[in-house]
Amino acid sequence: MFSPEIAPVVNIADLPQYEGQAVTIRGWVYHLRSSGKVRFLVVRDGTGLVQGVLVKGRLPEEDFHQFDRLGQESSLILRGQVRAELRAPGGYEVEVTGLTPLHICQNYPIAHKEHGVGFLLDQRHLWLRAPRQQAILRLRDELARACRDFFYDRGFVLVDTPILTPTACEGTTTLFATDYLDRGKAYLSQSGQLYLEAAAMALGKVYCFGPTFRAEKSKTRRHLMEFWMVEAEAAFYLLEDILQLCEDLVRYLVLRVLERRNRELEMLDRDTTLLSKVSQSFPRLSYTEAVVRLQTEGVAITWGEDFGGDEETRLSQMFDRPVLIHRYPRQIKAFYMEADRDNPELALCVDMLAPEGYGEIIGGSQRVADLDILLARLQEYHLPQEPLEWYLDLRRYGSVPHAGFGLGLERLLAWVCGLKHVREAIPFPRLLDRLYP
Ligand code: NSS
């Protein structure tokens, strides 16, 4: 499309390697400023920002005048000389020797000022270009990659679970239904867990990582209609193994971004001393102990009630690290959870709450392994048996104890970035009142 460039095309992030050399940069206008005979042009290319300096007489007259036509987000190709400049953001600037606009635009809707979040969400397709949003997306990429590395390094096999499913996994009230041609209804997956259990009986240790869907009728800072979940499942694992595995995972993920994405965390003004607390072991407490702690702090909760957003916030403010809360009452949890032998009213389950008020980021449990107990559960939870025959087969043919958990990527990312709401933690959020863009 473009004539070959003589100077190498480089990423802004790599400019320090090219000090004193001629380079070509392709990107978009971030900011424009004039002062006398000098024009300043801050360009972004997705890897960083750099200031270009245009001095009349040091580049073709025609190129110099192109500057006046540019508006924020016009796209262009710059050629110039890289030089160190302590006062410039990033420590380098480019003395421009050539400027070729590719697409000139004016009136970019998102100016360098405060905008309301409703407006920004309407402009999400453009808002992604803001440096803050880029930083969040890079952190998301790092976390997703780190999840895969973690499980791969530990011998877990990636098994992709279906999105179109015949049944619910996490309760029928949040199902998204769609017509499956002439075969009736299909539902968008709320979790890959049930299929992952089948895969664990084949491969031992497995995980999946994909989009999940929940028609959440509540409008909170923690809920999306579509979110990404990484889920692990392992044959012969018990609740204790899962507690350890999810703690190891979260520690690994947070240390990984601290190690590799410091620049982005800095851009977000994230206090990383709080994140680095993950190096120490995570406190563990039973649901019953958690209820007592809440009551001691004056929260009106009685044993047997599930924690709502407020209780989670309070609990997660009591610790400077993620906390593992285990053994909730069985009646407030999903049908597939194994009961505690010592107290069958309790489920062998765990929720991990992130600190600083972020609340639940992980849910997991040991699964019912016995066929008759599972059959009774289906009745108790008013779930149809026929579409789950395959799941029951896992208890008919070589059933073993097994356990797993799911980590919500956006909730983890919101905490890691210190975001107020999960809507900024996913490129195109699906919310109660939003399906655009
Ligand atoms: O409902 S969970 O607690 N558990 C499961 O889905 C299990 N079937 C996972 C498993 O054991 N394989 O959801 C797990 C996590 C939860 O802790 C959140 O981090 C996240 O999924 N989650 C959500 N994130 C954003 N928005 C919504 N609506 C949401 N629901 C759950």
Side-chain angles (χ1 to χ4, degrees):
M1 181 180 168
F2 320 120
S3 58
E5 306 292 345
I6 304 145
V9 176
V10 303
N11 288 329
I12 291 172
D14 298 331
L15 284 178
Q17 297 165 36
Y18 293 89
E19 190 181 343
Q21 295 178 41
V23 296
T24 303
I25 291 167
R26 302 185 294 201
W28 295 263
V29 172
Y30 183 67
H31 190 66
L32 297 156
R33 181 166 63 91
S34 292
S35 162
K37 286 192 179 148
V38 188
R39 306 279 178 273
F40 298 95
L41 175 63
V42 178
V43 177
R44 60 166 200 89
D45 72 346
T47 73
L49 289 172
V50 70
Q51 171 163 284
V53 184
L54 290 74
V55 182
K56 205 172 161 68
R58 301 238 192 107
L59 70 164
E61 194 68 12
E62 190 195 340
D63 290 20
F64 184 80
H65 288 299
Q66 292 286 12
F67 178 94
D68 299 327
R69 301 172 59 217
L70 298 175
Q72 190 187 341
E73 289 303 316
S74 296
S75 50
L76 48 76
I77 299 181
L78 273 190
R79 282 162 299 276
Q81 204 82 17
V82 182
R83 64 179 181 217
E85 169 54 68
L86 286 180
R87 288 165 300 176
Y92 291 84
E93 65 179 19
V94 172
E95 175 165 354
V96 179
T97 54
L99 167 67
T100 313
L102 293 179
H103 179 241
I104 289 185
C105 63
Q106 295 292 340
N107 305 320
Y108 182 67
I110 305 177
H112 294 293
K113 61 164 197 173
E114 285 286 313
H115 288 286
V117 74
F119 171 81
L120 289 171
L121 284 169
D122 284 339
Q123 304 291 332
R124 185 63 173 165
H125 51 296
L126 302 176
W127 188 23
L128 295 180
R129 302 182 188 192
R132 231 184 96 79
Q133 299 305 316
Q134 289 179 44
I136 296 169
L137 292 181
R138 276 186 195 278
L139 281 155
R140 182 180 166 107
D141 168 61
E142 189 67 49
L143 286 173
R145 186 173 280 259
C147 284
R148 297 191 171 98
D149 289 347
F150 176 87
F151 285 117
Y152 183 83
D153 290 347
R154 280 161 187 74
F156 282 72
V157 180
L158 175 68
V159 174
D160 299 312
T161 53
I163 305 263
L164 290 168
T165 63
T167 45
C169 176
E170 294 298 327
T172 48
T173 55
T174 61
L175 281 175
F176 270 110
T178 180
D179 291 322
Y180 197 78
L181 304 178
D182 56 359
R183 300 194 132 249
K185 291 280 177 233
Y187 305 98
L188 300 187
S189 174
Q190 300 167 309
S191 159
Q193 180 197 318
L194 306 187
Y195 295 93
L196 219 45
E197 286 182 53
M201 298 306 139
L203 291 152
K205 296 194 289 183
V206 292
Y207 77 102
C208 65
F209 194 177
T212 44
F213 307 86
R214 294 192 194 176
E216 301 277 5
K217 276 110 200 163
S218 51
K219 213 174 164 177
T220 79
R221 63 193 167 95
R222 296 181 177 134
H223 287 96
L224 292 162
M225 301 285 204
E226 178 179 309
F227 62 96
W228 282 63
M229 181 157 47
V230 60
E231 297 179 77
E233 193 74 31
F236 306 105
Y237 270 40
L238 306 178
L239 177 64
E240 286 308 309
D241 303 305
I242 286 305
L243 292 176
Q244 193 58 49
L245 186 67
C246 66
E247 175 172 346
D248 290 347
L249 172 66
V250 170
R251 177 171 303 116
Y252 177 88
L253 296 176
V254 174
L255 292 179
R256 166 92 164 236
V257 297
L258 287 174
E259 189 192 323
R260 300 199 191 176
R261 292 286 162 207
N262 214 35
R263 209 166 64 110
E264 282 75 14
L265 291 168
E266 214 167 90
M267 149 108 247
L268 297 169
D269 282 328
R270 185 65 170 112
D271 182 348
T272 52
T273 53
L274 292 170
L275 293 176
S276 54
K277 305 271 196 231
V278 296
S279 307
Q280 302 160 51
S281 65
F282 299 0
R284 294 176 183 192
L285 85 178
S286 69
Y287 165 87
T288 305
E289 289 165 331
V291 167
V292 172
R293 287 191 78 136
L294 284 168
Q295 288 169 339
T296 315
E297 298 227 342
V299 179
I301 184 157
T302 42
W303 196 97
E305 287 173 354
D306 201 0
F307 299 145
D310 293 343
E311 287 81 24
E312 275 184 23
T313 304
R314 291 292 284 272
L315 279 166
S316 80
Q317 284 166 341
M318 292 177 194
F319 303 92
D320 64 357
R321 278 160 274 162
V323 53
L324 297 163
I325 303 193
H326 54 87
R327 294 180 173 82
Y328 287 66
R330 213 174 53 66
Q331 94 236 9
I332 54 167
K333 287 290 182 183
F335 76 97
Y336 51 71
M337 292 185 181
E338 189 78 282
D340 189 351
R341 240 180 242 214
D342 298 335
N343 181 354
E345 264 190 277
L346 302 176
L348 291 177
C349 66
V350 58
D351 281 2
M352 185 189 290
L353 311 186
E356 301 174 66
Y358 277 91
E360 185 195 326
I361 54 171
I362 283 181
S365 69
Q366 197 173 314
R367 323 303 191 186
V368 171
D370 179 83
L371 178 64
D372 292 332
I373 296 178
L374 192 53
L375 281 167
R377 286 292 181 83
L378 293 186
Q379 294 228 322
E380 192 186 326
Y381 285 76
H382 308 292
L383 291 169
Q385 184 178 327
E386 201 234 21
L388 283 170
E389 279 300 333
W390 67 270
Y391 186 66
L392 294 165
D393 271 353
L394 308 177
R395 282 74 183 169
R396 291 190 181 109
Y397 305 106
S399 187
V400 298
H402 60 289
F405 67 86
L407 164 69
L409 178 62
E410 291 76 16
R411 295 217 187 146
L412 172 74
L413 182 61
W415 164 51
V416 165
C417 295
L419 307 176
K420 289 199 195 81
H421 196 295
V422 284
R423 66 191 163 211
E424 276 183 75
I426 185 160
F428 294 96
R430 296 323 181 203
L431 304 166
L432 191 57
D433 53 359
R434 177 167 299 275
L435 187 59
Y436 177 91

